[in-house]
Amino acid sequence: MKTRSALELVDIKAIAAAAEAEATANKWAVTIAIADDGGHLLWLQRLDGAPPISAKIAPAKAQTAALGRRESRVYEEIINGGRTSFLSAPAEGLLEGGVPIMKDGVCIGAVGVSGVKSTEDAQIARAGIAALGL
């Protein structure tokens, strides 16, 4: 039997605070979503001025990163590379901005961010994850 790590509320709050700080420091209005390893939403935070649709896109990016165990940008690159049939995959957040939370080579959750350029979304997600010191 294996023992595995799991996100706790204190971890989620630390990720959210660090992600919010990164977004605020850059004056980026975004939505931040944090999911567990099964892609289930644990946290959703829409900063002032974030587009309403970002509240749908951020959780989808987090879910895609958690279930795929890789950054959601990988799927965007596959599609942009010409494999358009991948659009029929059973996932919605196939855009950059979803980043898995990895501990000891195992995915324990993911952060999805939406509201600014996709590279900036990913920057915010990574800043949040960095707060865990993994």
Side-chain angles (χ1 to χ4, degrees), residues 1-9 11-12 15 35-38 42 69 101-110 132-134:
M1 184 172 297
K2 293 183 180 181
T3 302
R4 63 184 195 98
S5 299
L7 293 172
E8 295 181 335
L9 185 57
D11 302 318
I12 295 163
I15 293 166
D36 66 12
D37 63 329
L42 300 172
R69 293 357 192 192
I101 304 167
M102 305 298 289
K103 184 174 189 301
D104 301 323
V106 176
C107 180
I108 60 170
L132 295 180
L134 304 174

Side-chain angles (χ1 to χ4, degrees), residues 5-110:
S5 299
L7 293 172
E8 295 181 335
L9 185 57
V10 67
D11 302 318
I12 295 163
K13 287 181 177 182
I15 293 166
E20 179 182 357
E22 180 71 15
T24 302
N26 288 289
K27 296 184 172 97
W28 293 333
V30 298
T31 296
I32 301 159
I34 304 170
D36 66 12
D37 63 329
H40 305 285
L41 189 61
L42 300 172
W43 184 275
L44 183 68
Q45 181 177 1
R46 186 172 151 210
L47 302 182
D48 292 341
I53 194 156
S54 67
K56 294 284 188 182
I57 296 171
K61 289 179 178 183
Q63 182 182 50
T64 295
L67 294 175
R69 293 357 192 192
R70 64 186 71 181
E71 290 198 31
S72 57
R73 74 171 168 75
V74 170
Y75 302 106
E76 182 177 9
E77 291 169 356
I78 289 169
I79 294 163
N80 289 343
R83 192 165 177 211
T84 55
S85 63
F86 206 83
L87 288 169
S88 66
E92 296 177 5
L94 303 175
L95 303 166
E96 184 173 8
V99 181
I101 304 167
M102 305 298 289
K103 184 174 189 301
D104 301 323
V106 176
C107 180
I108 60 170

